[in-house]
Amino acid sequence: HVQLVESGGGSVQAGGSLRLSCVRSGYISKSGCMAWFRQVPGKEREKVARIDSGGSKRYIDSVKGRFAISKDNDKNILYLQMNDLKPDDSAIYCCAADGSCSAWYGNFVNTYWGRGTQVTVS
């Protein structure tokens, strides 16, 4: 059973930075992905960034150049460094893990989720 616990959210002014962390316990496939999603109440969940087992990274256009996803395989921690934050980045950020990277394409059948951490940019 996989458990994901996020931390690092908070309130910052526009232009500020935050680093989110997600600690994973439990096993996922070596071919799997870890990702960050975000959601604003009343809106659809939005993918933000993902990293696969080989370290390949993908970002949505609106965060390219500002956000950086990384992971520490020894500690099973996923990070999201967020710089130059904008009010539109305000959301609940959730960590996701799945064995086939399908969550990035909208297939959440085998996705594990954390509870999320709130990010507020004013």
Side-chain angles (χ1 to χ4, degrees):
H1 180 66
V2 176
Q3 288 188 314
L4 304 169
V5 180
E6 303 94 337
S7 62
S11 297
V12 296
Q13 292 187 337
S17 298
L18 286 172
R19 188 176 82 155
L20 306 183
S21 300
C22 170
V23 179
R24 174 176 60 83
S25 60
Y27 172 81
I28 61 170
S29 167
K30 289 183 178 180
S31 61
C33 284
M34 298 288 294
W36 288 97
F37 286 73
R38 63 189 181 187
Q39 188 166 21
V40 176
K43 294 188 177 180
E44 287 192 4
R45 180 167 45 202
E46 177 184 43
K47 61 187 181 185
V48 176
R50 85 161 209 201
I51 185 167
D52 68 17
S53 58
S56 179
K57 304 170 185 179
R58 295 190 184 183
Y59 302 92
I60 58 172
D61 287 344
S62 62
V63 307
K64 285 180 180 177
R66 300 189 297 122
F67 290 13
I69 190 170
S70 62
K71 61 180 179 174
D72 184 327
N73 289 325
D74 291 336
K75 297 180 180 178
N76 291 334
I77 302 176
L78 178 73
Y79 299 102
L80 185 68
Q81 177 67 43
M82 306 187 295
N83 299 323
D84 190 21
L85 282 160
K86 305 178 186 301
D88 284 349
D89 296 318
S90 297
I92 297 172
Y93 283 71
C94 291
C95 173
D98 73 278
S100 60
C101 302
S102 58
W104 189 252
Y105 304 101
N107 182 347
F108 305 122
V109 172
N110 296 310
T111 302
Y112 296 95
W113 296 97
R115 291 190 173 186
T117 184
Q118 176 72 50
V119 171
T120 303
V121 185
S122 59

